[in-house]
Amino acid sequence: MTSDPSSRSVAGVLPVEQYVAGLPRKRMAAGVLFRDGADRVLLVQPSYKPNFEIPGGAVEADESPWATAQREVREEIGCDYPLGRLLVVDYVRPQDSRPEGVVFVFDGGQLTEDDVAAMVFAESEIVSADFHTMAEARGKVKPLLADRLESALDAIRLGTTVICEQGRRIA
């Protein structure tokens, strides 16, 4: 009898190694929602695409979503703010040649105009950052992100984490 765990079968069907190799792969991303005292949201303007975003990005191999969020905030706006609680877990269907994925949004807390003025943007990646009302944000971000931001603001008001599909709250 072999002691190699990869040669063992899962429920008598496949060796573990084959089973694991056949599992679906999902992309993951993480972002941070910063806001001001009036609940306006901080949006960054990337240089490489027309729509605005919140600080964040793709989770890299062997990186947790919360580590991604902290890394992206440091890289994009030059700040090392403590990461708050998880606000949103959003399942996103495949779109625009991207596979399905899961997006996490963490609470970055409240910032001031002085905090924004002190930000150091990632060279050639971020052009600007500023606070926007949700009505303004809807005109600057993709609809999916706008829905996710509304859900994140709901999570803050409710003191909970919300579960979303395509940015819309389901729980």
Side-chain angles (χ1 to χ4, degrees):
M1 170 132 310
T2 180
S3 63
D4 178 6
S6 66
S7 67
R8 293 188 197 126
S9 64
V10 175
V13 180
L14 291 174
V16 172
E17 187 175 273
Q18 281 182 294
Y19 170 76
V20 170
L23 289 173
R25 304 289 185 241
K26 291 183 183 356
R27 66 186 169 91
M28 289 193 299
V32 180
L33 175 63
F34 293 102
R35 60 203 185 287
D36 67 4
D39 267 353
R40 295 182 303 163
V41 298
L42 182 77
L43 298 179
V44 294
Q45 180 183 12
S47 61
Y48 54 91
K49 60 183 173 180
N51 52 293
F52 286 53
E53 298 283 347
I54 60 173
V59 175
E60 296 179 354
D62 299 319
E63 182 179 48
S64 68
W66 42 93
T68 297
Q70 291 175 311
R71 175 181 53 77
E72 289 286 347
V73 166
R74 272 192 310 277
E75 289 176 3
E76 291 182 355
I77 59 175
C79 301
D80 201 14
Y81 297 116
L83 195 61
R85 68 184 174 82
L86 179 62
L87 298 174
V88 173
V89 177
D90 187 12
Y91 170 75
V92 180
R93 292 186 292 276
Q95 62 184 9
D96 302 330
S97 75
R98 295 179 185 173
E100 67 181 337
V102 179
V103 179
F104 301 86
V105 178
F106 296 91
D107 190 358
Q110 290 188 353
L111 300 178
T112 66
E113 295 288 344
D114 289 342
D115 293 325
V116 175
M119 291 178 179
V120 178
F121 303 128
E123 189 174 318
S124 73
E125 183 180 352
I126 302 299
V127 175
S128 68
D130 205 358
F131 293 111
H132 301 273
T133 65
M134 274 310 302
E136 294 167 340
R138 281 206 174 270
K140 295 182 178 289
V141 302
K142 288 186 174 183
L144 177 61
L145 179 55
D147 290 343
R148 189 177 299 131
L149 291 175
E150 290 277 7
S151 294
L153 290 171
D154 284 347
I156 290 167
R157 285 188 282 275
L158 296 169
T160 190
T161 299
V162 297
I163 306 300
C164 297
E165 284 191 25
Q166 294 299 114
R168 296 184 183 231
R169 184 173 165 210
I170 61 168

